[in-house]
Amino acid sequence: FEGIRVVSAWQREQMLAHALSAALIVGFASLACGAAIYPVVVRLSADNERKAREVLDSHISMMEALGRAIAKRDSETGAHNFRVAWIAARIAERLGLRGKDMQALIVGSFLHDIGKISIPDAVLLKPGKLDAEEFQIMHTHVVQGEEIVSGIGWLDDANAVVAAHHEKWDGSGYPRKLSGEAIPLAARIFAVADVFDALCSKRPYKEPMGFETAMSIMERDTGSHFDP
């Protein structure tokens, strides 16, 4: 501007005053809008948190209902589900699992035997050892469980444990005979918790084992059944 004409002092003061006035007006308007919007944002945020909690509660309730449905078939299964989910979660904590991976492990651990709903009582509750045909029937609970949890959104995360909790590190498990790291990590973690609890629990066909005996079996099967 001064290259074109000389700007007098009073004009410079006037331009500065106008600029400051405009800045003050914009700042005040921003603060006023923020003050007006803030309660709405807080209310919406609280509402979203409440709805998220309701969804989580409904998921947990559904998971517990499914667990009770399994327990109706086998009175021990309900407590077993809680125990193996807790043991698996503690192992996963030591391995550094967090967030969604941990949630998927817990849900999968709790619902790992959901497919047993389809197994006949004569096989599921048989007090003695199963014969070859009965073993084949029992093995179908894995596929049945996959079908139950698949396509239900939040239960899809449980599929890794449900589908692979009977696979073994050396490939001798079922149903797909996966081996090594082809077995999902969640299923490998769960296998340790599941077998340990089974060894230490009373079942229709066995008495509970002591801790030392159970651990000796676990150590013996490390590298064959379990991830080393």
Side-chain angles (χ1 to χ4, degrees):
F1 272 121
E2 289 182 342
I4 298 171
R5 69 182 182 85
V6 175
V7 178
S8 61
W10 70 268
Q11 287 179 314
R12 287 198 298 271
E13 291 174 1
Q14 187 179 59
M15 291 169 62
L16 178 60
H18 289 169
L20 291 174
S21 298
L24 288 172
I25 291 171
V26 170
F28 177 77
S30 299
L31 290 174
C33 289
I37 293 173
Y38 180 74
V40 178
V41 172
V42 170
R43 183 173 59 81
L44 290 175
S45 178
D47 193 45
N48 286 338
E49 185 176 349
R50 177 180 57 79
K51 289 178 178 178
R53 173 62 61 178
E54 289 175 355
V55 170
L56 178 61
D57 288 343
S58 69
H59 287 175
I60 294 173
S61 297
M62 183 185 296
M63 188 170 68
E64 291 179 340
L66 290 171
R68 286 195 297 271
I70 304 170
K72 290 290 184 182
R73 306 295 317 286
D74 178 1
S75 59
E76 168 59 16
T77 302
H80 169 70
N81 290 340
F82 280 103
R83 288 196 303 268
V84 294
W86 180 79
I87 295 169
R90 292 302 301 271
I91 296 170
E93 284 179 347
R94 294 292 295 272
L95 292 175
L97 260 68
R98 296 288 185 274
K100 189 175 182 181
D101 291 336
M102 177 66 85
Q103 294 171 11
L105 172 64
I106 292 172
V107 175
S109 298
F110 196 83
L111 299 178
H112 68 283
D113 273 341
I114 186 70
K116 285 186 176 178
I117 291 174
S118 66
I119 304 300
D121 286 346
V123 175
L124 185 63
L125 303 179
K126 184 177 178 179
K129 288 195 68 173
L130 304 179
D131 60 31
E133 183 179 353
E134 289 167 337
F135 264 119
Q136 288 300 317
I137 294 172
M138 183 64 81
H139 286 183
T140 64
H141 82 275
V142 175
V143 175
Q144 299 286 350
E146 286 185 79
E147 292 178 357
I148 291 171
V149 301
S150 296
I152 310 184
W154 68 279
L155 284 184
D156 278 338
D157 290 339
N159 197 279
V161 174
V162 172
H165 69 282
H166 282 296
E167 302 289 356
K168 296 183 179 181
W169 183 258
D170 64 3
S172 63
Y174 68 90
R176 296 177 176 85
K177 296 191 178 301
L178 301 176
S179 64
E181 294 186 0
I183 304 170
L185 177 59
R188 283 180 269 148
I189 293 172
F190 173 78
V192 175
D194 187 35
V195 174
F196 175 78
D197 187 73
L199 293 173
C200 295
S201 301
K202 180 179 176 60
R203 293 294 173 87
Y205 52 85
K206 63 175 279 294
E207 292 299 316
M209 295 182 182
F211 177 80
E212 296 298 335
T213 303
M215 287 303 299
S216 68
I217 293 174
M218 301 289 292
E219 290 170 359
R220 181 196 68 195
D221 290 343
T222 296
S224 56
H225 189 156
F226 309 115
D227 182 339

